[in-house]
Amino acid sequence: MIRIDRIRIVTYNVHKCRGLDQRTSPARIVAVLRELEADIIALQEVLSLNRAAREANQARFIAEELGFNYCFGVNRRLKGGVYGNVVLSRLPISVARNYDISVRGRERRGCLRADVVLGATHLLHIFNVHLGTAFIERRQQARKLISPVILNNKELAGWRLMLGDFNEWRRGLSSRLLAQHLASIDIRTHLRRSRTYPGVLPLLHLDHIYHDPALELEGLILHRSRTALIASDHLPLAADFRLRAVEEKRPGQ
């Protein structure tokens, strides 16, 4: 039997660590993440450059400062470095894989899967995504996400959680498709708002979290500290889950 665990998971588009003051500061992003005391963190728009300055490699710098394990899903080359999504975890990461969900003629996009080891026998499959800005693009990407290659891969042995910046502010096809396979967090139920972006004056709901029902949501936080409001154009969204004690396999297996 799996023991009951409580875990905090965060999704955060860090905008290449460039804040509203136009200053690039990975150290400031680290400060925001320390305020949250998360166990697993999904970052989007991370840029890592091969330069002498330690902060230039944003993924490694943030992981080292937090003392977390991490994996990088590289989606494209940028400014002589690499750019994409990152998963950081206090717990071990056993497998990391980046799936190409790009659509022809559009910017390269990926879905980073990180298998986090929760205990001796159980895994949590984290899928960190950043979908495209075009409606038709997101429709194609949603179909790729729910395919047997990614979300409905029969080889997955643990609970699944998909989160990130979906660039979908209305309930479109990607929202509807994912809600057929995972539970969707309705932020209006847990927050006093229905919008998350931009951080200073939210107008849109871009950041979403979907999860297997065995991950029981206990609370949701849109982190609006003074530092968070300036560190990126997005705010971090933190979800607290309880992992139910179960003996059976994940539904669908």
Side-chain angles (χ1 to χ4, degrees), residues 197-216:
Y197 174 86
V200 174
L201 183 63
L203 300 172
L204 306 171
H205 178 199
L206 303 183
D207 308 290
H208 298 263
I209 301 175
Y210 300 87
H211 61 94
D212 268 320
L215 293 166
E216 183 179 342

Side-chain angles (χ1 to χ4, degrees), residues 87-147:
V87 171
L88 306 109
S89 174
R90 294 184 189 274
L91 302 164
I93 298 174
S94 61
V95 173
R97 181 174 177 182
N98 198 42
Y99 300 96
D100 186 359
I101 59 170
S102 305
V103 173
R104 186 176 181 180
R106 305 293 300 181
E107 178 182 327
R108 288 184 60 83
R109 302 277 180 172
C111 170
L112 173 61
R113 170 185 144 200
D115 293 353
V116 176
V117 181
L118 296 180
T121 61
H122 201 64
L123 294 174
L124 177 59
H125 303 292
I126 301 292
F127 296 90
N128 180 9
V129 302
H130 188 191
L131 299 189
T133 56
F135 176 76
I136 298 299
E137 178 185 13
R138 290 194 300 274
R139 289 173 66 96
Q140 295 183 48
Q141 290 170 338
R143 292 189 177 97
K144 291 182 180 181
L145 289 176
I146 64 168
S147 73

